[in-house]
Amino acid sequence: GRGKKGKAGMVGKKEMYDLIVNIDLKEWNLSDQQVADYKEVFMLFDRDEDGVLSFAELQVVMKSLGQRPSEEELLTAVREVSEDYIYDTVEFNEFLQLMSKQQEQSYSHEQLTEAFRLFDEDDDGMLTVSELS
């Protein structure tokens, strides 16, 4: 007879809960790789594993991703996607939407900087009247 298969090596590991994506990734401009990365981040900071990030947890997530919105900015962003109007928590799909919106903002900042550089001929970080005419 053979020993039982499957459970070997799983000793002591907690059962992973899965986060189901139910938004249109094309509409939100997210790749499968980004979703996988965001899922990892989300699960890392969702300490109680309830599938929801508290506002405080979300602030830590944003810092870990190198983004430092003010509390007010983050609250505004959360309220655009969250259905929790009392505690301002974010579930996984709302988190994906939030991250998608953050990406758009950071891209537009990069695009502005790039456009600025096109006119800043002497690359001094300032635009002169002659550079604009």
Side-chain angles (χ1 to χ4, degrees), residues 8-130:
M10 293 300 287
V11 180
K13 282 193 179 170
K14 270 203 280 188
E15 193 67 33
M16 291 290 274
Y17 68 105
D18 200 22
L19 298 165
I20 308 299
V21 175
N22 59 22
I23 61 168
D24 182 350
L25 296 180
K26 280 198 175 61
E27 182 190 330
W28 288 95
N29 211 6
L30 292 166
S31 69
D32 290 339
Q33 183 57 54
Q34 285 172 307
V35 170
D37 292 345
Y38 288 144
K39 183 182 280 198
E40 213 169 292
V41 169
F42 187 95
M43 292 172 93
L44 184 66
F45 289 96
D46 180 16
R47 302 249 182 257
D48 51 1
E49 297 187 0
D50 61 353
V52 173
L53 290 179
S54 69
F55 188 73
E57 287 169 330
L58 188 59
Q59 286 177 302
V60 177
V61 168
M62 298 311 271
K63 279 190 186 129
S64 80
L65 294 173
Q67 300 187 21
R68 305 204 183 281
S70 70
E71 192 166 324
E72 202 174 309
E73 289 169 332
L74 187 56
L75 195 56
T76 301
V78 166
R79 290 185 172 160
E80 285 176 12
V81 298
S82 177
E83 291 180 17
D84 177 1
Y85 303 118
I86 298 166
Y87 301 108
D88 297 304
T89 61
V90 177
E91 60 92 5
F92 182 57
N93 287 280
E94 294 167 345
F95 177 68
L96 289 177
Q97 293 169 339
L98 183 73
M99 297 319 297
S100 169
K101 287 178 177 222
Q102 293 293 112
Q103 278 178 341
E104 281 173 27
Q105 288 171 353
S106 61
Y107 286 139
S108 61
H109 179 75
E110 285 169 29
Q111 288 162 345
L112 283 172
T113 306
E114 195 54 44
F116 181 86
R117 278 199 199 108
L118 290 175
F119 292 99
D120 183 16
E121 290 163 8
D122 55 2
D123 203 24
D124 64 352
M126 290 183 268
L127 295 181
T128 62
V129 174
S130 64

